[in-house]
Coordinates of all heavy atoms in Angstrom, one line a residue:
M188 N 0.8 -1.2 0.0 CA 0.0 0.0 0.0 C 0.9 1.2 0.0 O 1.8 1.4 0.8 CB -0.9 0.0 1.2 CG -1.6 1.3 1.4 SD -2.6 1.3 2.9 CE -4.1 1.9 2.1
I189 N 0.6 2.2 -0.8 CA 1.3 3.5 -0.9 C 0.7 4.4 0.1 O -0.5 4.7 0.1 CB 1.3 4.0 -2.3 CG1 2.0 3.1 -3.3 CG2 2.0 5.4 -2.3 CD1 2.0 3.5 -4.7
P190 N 1.5 5.0 1.0 CA 1.0 5.9 2.0 C 0.6 7.2 1.4 O 1.0 7.6 0.3 CB 2.1 6.1 3.0 CG 3.4 5.8 2.2 CD 2.9 4.8 1.1
N191 N -0.2 8.0 2.2 CA -0.6 9.4 1.8 C 0.7 10.2 1.9 O 1.5 10.1 2.9 CB -1.6 10.0 2.7 CG -2.9 9.3 2.6 OD1 -3.3 8.9 1.5 ND2 -3.6 9.2 3.7
F192 N 0.9 11.0 0.9 CA 2.1 11.9 0.9 C 2.0 13.1 0.0 O 1.1 13.1 -0.9 CB 3.4 11.1 0.6 CG 3.5 10.6 -0.9 CD1 4.2 11.3 -1.8 CD2 2.8 9.5 -1.3 CE1 4.3 10.9 -3.1 CE2 2.9 9.0 -2.6 CZ 3.6 9.7 -3.5
A193 N 2.8 14.0 0.1 CA 2.9 15.2 -0.8 C 4.3 15.2 -1.3 O 5.3 15.1 -0.5 CB 2.5 16.5 0.0
M194 N 4.5 15.5 -2.6 CA 5.8 15.5 -3.2 C 5.9 16.7 -4.2 O 4.9 16.8 -4.9 CB 6.2 14.2 -3.8 CG 7.6 14.2 -4.5 SD 8.1 12.6 -5.1 CE 6.8 12.3 -6.3
L195 N 6.9 17.5 -4.1 CA 7.1 18.6 -5.0 C 8.5 18.8 -5.3 O 9.4 18.7 -4.4 CB 6.4 19.8 -4.4 CG 6.2 21.1 -5.2 CD1 5.3 20.8 -6.4 CD2 5.6 22.2 -4.4
G196 N 8.9 19.2 -6.5 CA 10.2 19.6 -6.8 C 11.1 18.5 -7.4 O 10.6 17.4 -7.6
S197 N 12.3 18.8 -7.7 CA 13.3 17.8 -8.2 C 14.6 18.2 -7.6 O 14.8 19.4 -7.2 CB 13.3 17.8 -9.7 OG 13.7 19.1 -10.2
G198 N 15.5 17.3 -7.6 CA 16.8 17.5 -7.0 C 17.0 16.5 -5.9 O 16.3 15.5 -5.8
P199 N 18.0 16.9 -5.0 CA 18.2 16.0 -3.8 C 16.9 15.9 -3.0 O 16.1 16.8 -2.8 CB 19.2 16.7 -3.0 CG 19.9 17.6 -4.0 CD 18.9 18.0 -5.0
T200 N 16.6 14.7 -2.5 CA 15.4 14.4 -1.7 C 15.5 14.8 -0.3 O 16.5 14.5 0.4 CB 15.0 12.9 -1.9 OG1 14.8 12.6 -3.2 CG2 13.7 12.6 -1.1
V201 N 14.5 15.5 0.2 CA 14.3 15.8 1.6 C 13.0 15.1 2.1 O 11.9 15.4 1.6 CB 14.2 17.3 1.9 CG1 14.0 17.6 3.4 CG2 15.5 18.0 1.4
L202 N 13.1 14.2 3.0 CA 12.0 13.4 3.5 C 11.6 14.0 4.9 O 12.4 14.1 5.8 CB 12.3 12.0 3.7 CG 11.2 11.1 4.2 CD1 10.0 11.0 3.3 CD2 11.7 9.7 4.5
M203 N 10.3 14.4 5.0 CA 9.9 15.0 6.3 C 9.0 14.1 7.0 O 8.0 13.5 6.4 CB 9.2 16.4 6.0 CG 10.1 17.4 5.5 SD 9.3 18.9 4.9 CE 9.2 18.3 3.2
L204 N 9.2 13.9 8.3 CA 8.5 13.0 9.1 C 7.7 13.8 10.2 O 8.4 14.5 11.0 CB 9.4 11.9 9.8 CG 10.3 11.2 8.8 CD1 11.3 10.3 9.6 CD2 9.5 10.3 7.9
H205 N 6.4 13.6 10.3 CA 5.6 14.3 11.3 C 5.7 13.7 12.7 O 6.1 12.5 12.8 CB 4.2 14.5 10.8 CG 3.5 13.2 10.7 ND1 3.0 12.5 11.7 CD2 3.2 12.4 9.6 CE1 2.4 11.4 11.3 NE2 2.5 11.3 10.0
D206 N 5.2 14.4 13.7 CA 5.1 13.9 15.0 C 3.7 13.3 15.2 O 2.9 13.3 14.2 CB 5.5 14.9 16.1 CG 4.5 16.1 16.0 OD1 3.5 16.1 15.3 OD2 4.8 17.1 16.7
A207 N 3.3 13.0 16.4 CA 2.0 12.4 16.7 C 0.9 13.3 16.6 O -0.3 12.9 16.6 CB 2.1 11.7 18.0
D208 N 1.1 14.6 16.5 CA 0.0 15.6 16.5 C -0.5 16.1 15.2 O -1.3 17.0 15.1 CB 0.4 16.8 17.4 CG 0.5 16.4 18.9 OD1 -0.1 15.4 19.3 OD2 1.3 17.1 19.5
T209 N 0.2 15.6 14.1 CA -0.2 16.2 12.8 C -0.1 15.1 11.7 O 0.0 14.0 12.0 CB 0.8 17.4 12.5 OG1 0.3 18.0 11.3 CG2 2.2 17.0 12.3
D210 N -0.1 15.6 10.5 CA 0.0 14.6 9.3 C 0.9 15.3 8.3 O 1.4 16.4 8.5 CB -1.3 14.2 8.8 CG -2.2 15.3 8.3 OD1 -1.7 16.4 8.0 OD2 -3.4 15.1 8.1
H211 N 0.9 14.8 7.1 CA 1.8 15.3 6.0 C 1.4 16.7 5.6 O 2.2 17.5 5.1 CB 1.9 14.4 4.8 CG 0.6 14.4 3.9 ND1 -0.5 13.8 4.3 CD2 0.4 15.0 2.8 CE1 -1.4 14.0 3.3 NE2 -0.9 14.7 2.4
L212 N 0.1 17.1 5.8 CA -0.3 18.4 5.3 C 0.3 19.5 6.2 O 0.4 20.7 5.7 CB -1.9 18.4 5.4 CG -2.6 17.5 4.5 CD1 -4.1 17.5 4.8 CD2 -2.3 17.7 3.1
G213 N 0.7 19.2 7.4 CA 1.4 20.2 8.2 C 2.7 20.7 7.6 O 3.2 21.8 8.1
F214 N 3.2 20.0 6.7 CA 4.5 20.4 6.0 C 4.3 21.2 4.7 O 5.3 21.4 4.0 CB 5.4 19.2 5.7 CG 6.0 18.5 7.0 CD1 5.5 17.3 7.4 CD2 7.0 19.2 7.7 CE1 6.1 16.7 8.5 CE2 7.5 18.6 8.8 CZ 7.1 17.4 9.2
A215 N 3.1 21.6 4.4 CA 2.9 22.2 3.1 C 3.8 23.4 2.9 O 4.4 23.6 1.8 CB 1.4 22.6 3.0
P216 N 3.9 24.4 3.9 CA 4.8 25.5 3.6 C 6.3 25.1 3.3 O 7.0 25.6 2.5 CB 4.7 26.3 4.9 CG 3.5 25.9 5.5 CD 3.3 24.5 5.2
Q217 N 6.8 24.1 4.1 CA 8.1 23.6 3.9 C 8.3 22.9 2.6 O 9.4 23.0 2.0 CB 8.5 22.7 5.1 CG 8.7 23.4 6.4 CD 7.4 23.4 7.2 OE1 6.3 23.2 6.7 NE2 7.4 23.8 8.5
V218 N 7.3 22.1 2.2 CA 7.4 21.4 0.9 C 7.5 22.5 -0.3 O 8.4 22.3 -1.1 CB 6.2 20.5 0.6 CG1 6.1 20.0 -0.8 CG2 6.2 19.3 1.6
E219 N 6.7 23.5 -0.2 CA 6.8 24.5 -1.3 C 8.1 25.3 -1.2 O 8.7 25.5 -2.3 CB 5.6 25.5 -1.1 CG 4.3 24.9 -1.4 CD 3.2 25.9 -1.3 OE1 3.4 27.1 -1.0 OE2 2.0 25.4 -1.4
L220 N 8.6 25.6 0.0 CA 9.9 26.3 0.1 C 11.0 25.5 -0.4 O 11.9 26.0 -1.2 CB 10.1 26.8 1.5 CG 11.4 27.5 1.8 CD1 11.5 28.8 1.0 CD2 11.7 27.7 3.2
L221 N 11.1 24.2 0.0 CA 12.2 23.4 -0.4 C 12.2 23.1 -1.9 O 13.3 23.1 -2.6 CB 12.2 22.1 0.4 CG 12.6 22.1 1.8 CD1 12.1 20.9 2.6 CD2 14.1 22.4 2.0
A222 N 11.0 22.9 -2.5 CA 10.9 22.7 -3.9 C 11.4 24.0 -4.7 O 12.1 23.8 -5.7 CB 9.5 22.4 -4.3
S223 N 11.1 25.1 -4.2 CA 11.5 26.4 -4.8 C 13.0 26.6 -4.7 O 13.6 27.3 -5.5 CB 10.8 27.6 -4.3 OG 11.3 27.9 -3.0
Q224 N 13.7 25.9 -3.8 CA 15.1 26.0 -3.6 C 15.9 24.9 -4.3 O 17.1 24.7 -4.0 CB 15.4 26.0 -2.1 CG 14.8 27.2 -1.4 CD 15.4 28.5 -1.8 OE1 16.6 28.7 -2.0 NE2 14.5 29.5 -2.1
G225 N 15.2 24.1 -5.1 CA 15.9 23.0 -5.9 C 15.9 21.6 -5.2 O 16.8 20.8 -5.6
Y226 N 15.0 21.4 -4.3 CA 15.0 20.1 -3.6 C 13.7 19.3 -4.0 O 12.7 20.0 -4.5 CB 15.0 20.2 -2.1 CG 16.3 20.7 -1.6 CD1 16.5 22.1 -1.4 CD2 17.3 19.8 -1.3 CE1 17.7 22.6 -0.9 CE2 18.5 20.3 -0.8 CZ 18.7 21.7 -0.6 OH 19.9 22.1 -0.1
R227 N 13.7 18.0 -3.9 CA 12.5 17.2 -4.1 C 12.0 16.9 -2.7 O 12.7 16.2 -1.9 CB 12.9 15.9 -4.8 CG 11.8 14.9 -4.9 CD 12.3 13.7 -5.6 NE 11.3 12.7 -5.7 CZ 11.5 11.4 -5.4 NH1 12.7 11.0 -5.1 NH2 10.5 10.5 -5.5
A228 N 11.0 17.6 -2.3 CA 10.5 17.5 -0.9 C 9.3 16.5 -0.8 O 8.4 16.6 -1.6 CB 10.0 18.9 -0.5
I229 N 9.5 15.6 0.1 CA 8.4 14.6 0.4 C 8.0 14.6 1.8 O 8.8 14.6 2.7 CB 8.9 13.2 0.0 CG1 9.4 13.1 -1.4 CG2 7.8 12.1 0.3 CD1 10.1 11.7 -1.7
A230 N 6.7 14.8 2.0 CA 6.1 14.7 3.4 C 5.1 13.6 3.4 O 4.2 13.6 2.5 CB 5.5 16.0 3.8
W231 N 5.3 12.6 4.2 CA 4.4 11.5 4.2 C 3.7 11.2 5.5 O 4.2 11.7 6.6 CB 5.1 10.2 3.7 CG 6.1 9.6 4.7 CD1 7.2 10.3 5.2 CD2 6.1 8.3 5.2 NE1 7.9 9.4 6.1 CE2 7.3 8.2 6.0 CE3 5.3 7.2 5.0 CZ2 7.6 7.0 6.7 CZ3 5.6 6.0 5.7 CH2 6.7 6.0 6.5
D232 N 2.6 10.6 5.5 CA 1.9 10.2 6.7 C 2.5 8.9 7.2 O 2.5 7.9 6.5 CB 0.4 10.0 6.5 CG -0.3 11.3 6.4 OD1 0.2 12.3 6.8 OD2 -1.4 11.3 5.8
M233 N 3.0 8.9 8.5 CA 3.5 7.7 9.1 C 2.4 6.6 9.2 O 1.2 7.0 9.3 CB 4.0 8.0 10.5 CG 5.1 9.0 10.5 SD 6.7 8.4 10.0 CE 7.2 7.5 11.4
P234 N 2.7 5.4 9.1 CA 1.7 4.3 9.2 C 0.9 4.5 10.5 O 1.5 4.8 11.6 CB 2.6 3.0 9.3 CG 3.8 3.4 8.5 CD 4.1 4.8 8.9
G235 N -0.4 4.4 10.4 CA -1.3 4.5 11.5 C -1.8 5.9 11.7 O -2.6 6.2 12.6
Y236 N -1.4 6.9 10.9 CA -1.8 8.3 11.0 C -2.6 8.7 9.8 O -2.4 8.1 8.7 CB -0.6 9.2 11.2 CG 0.0 9.1 12.5 CD1 1.1 8.2 12.7 CD2 -0.4 9.8 13.6 CE1 1.7 8.0 13.9 CE2 0.2 9.7 14.8 CZ 1.2 8.8 15.0 OH 1.8 8.6 16.2
H237 N -3.5 9.6 10.0 CA -4.3 10.1 8.9 C -5.1 8.9 8.3 O -5.8 8.2 9.0 CB -3.5 10.9 7.8 CG -4.3 11.8 7.0 ND1 -5.0 12.9 7.5 CD2 -4.5 11.9 5.7 CE1 -5.6 13.5 6.6 NE2 -5.3 13.0 5.4
A238 N -5.0 8.7 7.0 CA -5.8 7.6 6.4 C -4.9 6.3 6.2 O -5.4 5.3 5.6 CB -6.3 8.0 5.1
N239 N -3.7 6.3 6.8 CA -2.8 5.1 6.6 C -3.1 4.1 7.7 O -3.1 4.5 8.9 CB -1.4 5.5 6.6 CG -1.0 6.3 5.4 OD1 -1.6 6.2 4.4 ND2 0.1 7.1 5.5
P240 N -3.2 2.8 7.3 CA -3.4 1.8 8.3 C -2.1 1.6 9.0 O -1.0 1.9 8.5 CB -3.8 0.6 7.5 CG -3.2 0.8 6.2 CD -3.3 2.3 5.9
P241 N -2.1 1.0 10.2 CA -0.9 0.6 10.9 C -0.1 -0.4 10.1 O -0.6 -1.1 9.2 CB -1.3 -0.1 12.2 CG -2.8 0.3 12.4 CD -3.3 0.6 11.0
P242 N 1.2 -0.5 10.3 CA 2.0 -1.4 9.5 C 1.7 -2.8 9.8 O 1.3 -3.1 10.9 CB 3.5 -1.1 9.9 CG 3.4 -0.4 11.2 CD 2.1 0.3 11.2
Y243 N 1.8 -3.7 8.8 CA 1.6 -5.1 9.0 C 2.7 -5.6 10.0 O 3.8 -5.3 9.8 CB 1.7 -5.9 7.7 CG 0.6 -5.4 6.7 CD1 1.0 -4.8 5.6 CD2 -0.7 -5.7 6.9 CE1 0.1 -4.3 4.6 CE2 -1.7 -5.2 6.0 CZ -1.3 -4.6 4.9 OH -2.2 -4.1 4.0
G244 N 2.3 -6.4 10.9 CA 3.3 -6.9 11.9 C 3.6 -5.9 13.0 O 4.5 -6.1 13.8
G245 N 2.8 -4.8 13.1 CA 3.0 -3.9 14.2 C 4.1 -2.8 13.9 O 4.7 -2.8 12.8
Y246 N 4.3 -2.0 14.9 CA 5.3 -0.9 14.7 C 6.7 -1.4 15.1 O 6.9 -1.9 16.1 CB 4.9 0.3 15.6 CG 3.6 1.0 15.2 CD1 2.4 0.6 15.8 CD2 3.6 2.0 14.3 CE1 1.2 1.2 15.4 CE2 2.5 2.6 13.9 CZ 1.3 2.2 14.4 OH 0.1 2.8 14.0
S247 N 7.6 -1.2 14.1 CA 9.0 -1.5 14.4 C 9.8 -0.8 13.4 O 9.3 -0.3 12.3 CB 9.2 -3.0 14.3 OG 9.1 -3.4 13.0
L248 N 11.1 -0.6 13.6 CA 12.0 0.0 12.6 C 12.1 -0.8 11.4 O 12.3 -0.3 10.3 CB 13.4 0.2 13.2 CG 13.4 1.3 14.3 CD1 14.8 1.4 14.9 CD2 13.0 2.6 13.8
K249 N 11.9 -2.1 11.5 CA 11.9 -3.0 10.3 C 10.7 -2.8 9.4 O 10.8 -3.0 8.2 CB 12.0 -4.5 10.8 CG 12.5 -5.4 9.8 CD 12.6 -6.8 10.5 CE 13.5 -7.7 9.7 NZ 13.6 -9.0 10.3
A250 N 9.6 -2.4 10.0 CA 8.3 -2.3 9.2 C 8.2 -1.0 8.4 O 7.5 -0.9 7.5 CB 7.1 -2.4 10.1
L251 N 9.0 0.1 8.9 CA 8.8 1.4 8.3 C 9.5 1.6 6.9 O 9.0 2.2 6.0 CB 9.3 2.5 9.2 CG 8.4 2.6 10.5 CD1 9.0 3.7 11.4 CD2 7.0 3.0 10.1
P252 N 10.8 1.1 6.7 CA 11.4 1.4 5.4 C 10.7 1.0 4.2 O 10.6 1.8 3.2 CB 12.8 0.6 5.5 CG 13.0 0.6 7.0 CD 11.7 0.4 7.6
P253 N 10.0 -0.1 4.1 CA 9.3 -0.4 2.8 C 8.2 0.6 2.5 O 7.9 0.9 1.4 CB 8.7 -1.8 3.1 CG 9.5 -2.4 4.1 CD 10.0 -1.3 5.0
R254 N 7.5 1.1 3.5 CA 6.5 2.1 3.3 C 7.0 3.4 2.9 O 6.5 4.1 2.0 CB 5.7 2.3 4.6 CG 5.0 1.1 5.2 CD 3.8 0.7 4.4 NE 2.7 1.6 4.4 CZ 1.8 1.6 5.3 NH1 1.8 0.7 6.3 NH2 0.8 2.4 5.3
R255 N 8.2 3.8 3.4 CA 8.8 5.1 3.1 C 9.3 5.0 1.6 O 9.2 5.9 0.8 CB 10.0 5.4 4.0 CG 10.5 6.8 3.7 CD 12.0 7.0 3.9 NE 12.9 6.0 3.5 CZ 13.5 6.0 2.3 NH1 13.3 7.0 1.4 NH2 14.4 5.1 2.0
M256 N 9.9 3.8 1.3 CA 10.4 3.7 -0.1 C 9.3 3.7 -1.1 O 9.5 4.2 -2.2 CB 11.2 2.3 -0.2 CG 12.5 2.3 0.6 SD 13.6 3.6 0.2 CE 14.1 3.2 -1.4
A257 N 8.1 3.3 -0.8 CA 7.0 3.3 -1.7 C 6.7 4.7 -2.2 O 6.4 4.9 -3.4 CB 5.7 2.6 -1.1
C258 N 6.8 5.7 -1.3 CA 6.5 7.0 -1.7 C 7.7 7.7 -2.4 O 7.5 8.6 -3.2 CB 5.9 7.9 -0.6 SG 7.0 8.2 0.8
S259 N 8.9 7.4 -2.0 CA 10.0 8.1 -2.6 C 10.4 7.6 -4.0 O 11.1 8.3 -4.7 CB 11.2 7.9 -1.7 OG 11.7 6.6 -1.6
K260 N 9.8 6.4 -4.4 CA 10.1 5.9 -5.8 C 9.1 6.5 -6.8 O 9.3 6.3 -8.0 CB 10.0 4.4 -5.8 CG 11.2 3.8 -5.1 CD 11.1 2.3 -5.1 CE 12.3 1.7 -4.4 NZ 12.3 0.2 -4.5
R261 N 8.1 7.2 -6.4 CA 7.1 7.7 -7.3 C 7.6 8.9 -8.1 O 8.4 9.6 -7.7 CB 5.8 8.0 -6.6 CG 5.2 6.8 -6.1 CD 3.9 7.0 -5.6 NE 3.0 6.7 -6.8 CZ 1.8 7.0 -6.9 NH1 1.2 7.7 -5.9 NH2 1.0 6.7 -7.9

């Protein structure tokens, strides 16, 4: 499953991770600014937040990389 995310720009990738109180939409100003400065900005919803289901197998560092890679390859 591909998580909810926002991506804008091209160049070196900057991945933004939210805290427990927000989602990827909270990074809208930063995504626009970074994209205007020559970066590919990606803000994604962590598994279990917003409309994303929790990761299969529970929360662990092992479960997160495949979800993050799904949005950065688009």
